[in-house]
Amino acid sequence: GAVVSQHPSRVICKSGTSVKIECRSLDFQATTMFWYRQFPKQSLMLMATSNEGSKATYEQGVEKDKFLINHASLTLSTLTVTSAHPEDSSFYICSAVDAEAFFGQGTRLTVV
Amino acid sequence: SQKIEQNSEALNIQEGKTATLTCNYTNYSPAYLQWYRQDPGRGPVFLLLIRENEKEKRKERLKVTFDTTLKQSLFHITASQPADSATYLCALGNLWRDDKIIFGKGTRLHILP
């Protein structure tokens, strides 16, 4: 079945630095991918919709200058957390749809 | 605003019994309702989809019902096993390409041996 690969699975970074997370659809093309964030014991919250070849659409309350999304090809979307702060520490998950929704393994970001 | 509620944060069920999880929603008219399983530190895995014109869907030991009048879905696991222990998420939306999915908080299910 279709697979979405997300990398890295864990990352620890210093406050003020930037972190890039990659999301790849391995055997299908995804014109649209979705980025979610999940805090402990909370639901997955949609952050933004990544559109291949155009600007991402951000949900209300999500800072587009802080969470940069690039969807340069039909199989790759990246999320860059810029100038990360400890409150950005969370579990980030990407998703792509091919008849059903497929999710990446998730990335545990810890900002120290 | 759209709201999805799952009945309890945690649920303990004895092995072999049927586990029943509840999902209620408001201010939304989904074309589909989906259930996912999420294990700790992992992304959600799709389990079942039920459409608005379907009342029940089954897959092996899983059964989902969908009542659009009550705005409620029930998710059943029969003959539960310890390996069924996980968080189960209810989600609304469409699975057509380019549509987003809205999730509930999830219910942590513990199957006790």
Side-chain angles (χ1 to χ4, degrees):
Chain A
V3 176
V4 172
S5 176
Q6 190 173 337
H7 176 80
S9 58
R10 290 179 181 273
V11 59
I12 300 172
C13 70
K14 289 186 177 180
S15 187
T17 61
S18 295
V19 173
K20 180 185 283 189
I21 303 170
E22 291 188 348
C23 180
R24 293 180 186 274
S25 57
L26 296 186
D27 55 2
F28 66 100
Q29 294 182 331
T31 55
T32 304
M33 291 186 180
F34 304 94
W35 287 96
Y36 294 83
R37 180 168 54 184
Q38 187 178 33
F39 292 106
K41 297 187 178 181
Q42 299 292 318
S43 61
L44 281 83
M45 296 300 297
L46 180 65
M47 298 175 65
T49 303
S50 169
N51 304 297
E52 189 268 335
S54 64
K55 290 183 179 180
T57 305
Y58 290 82
E59 295 299 303
Q60 192 172 13
V62 178
E63 301 174 59
K64 61 181 180 182
D65 294 330
K66 181 169 185 61
F67 299 99
L68 301 179
I69 292 173
N70 184 281
H71 196 150
S73 77
L74 288 171
T75 60
L76 173 64
S77 174
T78 60
L79 169 69
T80 302
V81 183
T82 62
S83 186
H85 292 290
E87 57 264 31
D88 297 323
S89 298
S90 187
F91 191 56
Y92 293 85
I93 305 174
C94 70
S95 167
V97 176
D98 183 39
E100 64 186 61
F102 294 93
F103 288 85
Q105 304 94 319
T107 298
R108 173 74 61 192
L109 171 63
T110 304
V111 184
V112 298
Chain B
S1 61
Q2 300 158 352
K3 193 174 179 183
I4 305 174
E5 286 186 348
Q6 295 193 236
N7 59 324
S8 56
E9 194 173 308
L11 187 63
N12 294 326
I13 298 293
Q14 203 66 40
E15 181 178 5
K17 301 290 186 184
T18 296
T20 298
L21 285 64
T22 305
C23 174
N24 296 287
Y25 60 93
T26 55
N27 296 326
Y28 200 83
S29 296
Y32 304 88
L33 188 145
Q34 306 117 57
W35 285 88
Y36 291 79
R37 170 181 173 142
Q38 186 176 23
D39 291 287
R42 308 289 293 179
V45 174
F46 172 81
L47 294 176
L48 278 169
L49 174 153
I50 188 165
R51 295 181 174 83
E52 60 178 340
N53 60 346
E54 297 176 318
K55 293 207 178 300
E56 183 178 299
K57 184 72 71 77
R58 292 176 185 262
K59 180 181 176 182
E60 297 173 353
R61 293 185 296 111
L62 308 180
K63 184 178 86 171
V64 171
T65 62
F66 192 13
D67 188 326
T68 54
T69 302
L70 292 177
K71 294 185 181 292
Q72 181 182 79
S73 174
L74 299 178
F75 176 79
H76 306 274
I77 304 175
T78 59
S80 58
Q81 305 165 1
D84 295 327
S85 299
T87 295
Y88 291 86
L89 304 169
C90 164
L92 304 179
N94 284 296
L95 284 186
W96 300 115
R97 193 174 287 272
D98 300 349
D99 204 15
K100 53 192 178 185
I101 302 168
I102 304 169
F103 286 88
K105 282 189 177 182
T107 299
R108 281 183 291 114
L109 178 64
H110 301 282
I111 304 300
L112 307 173

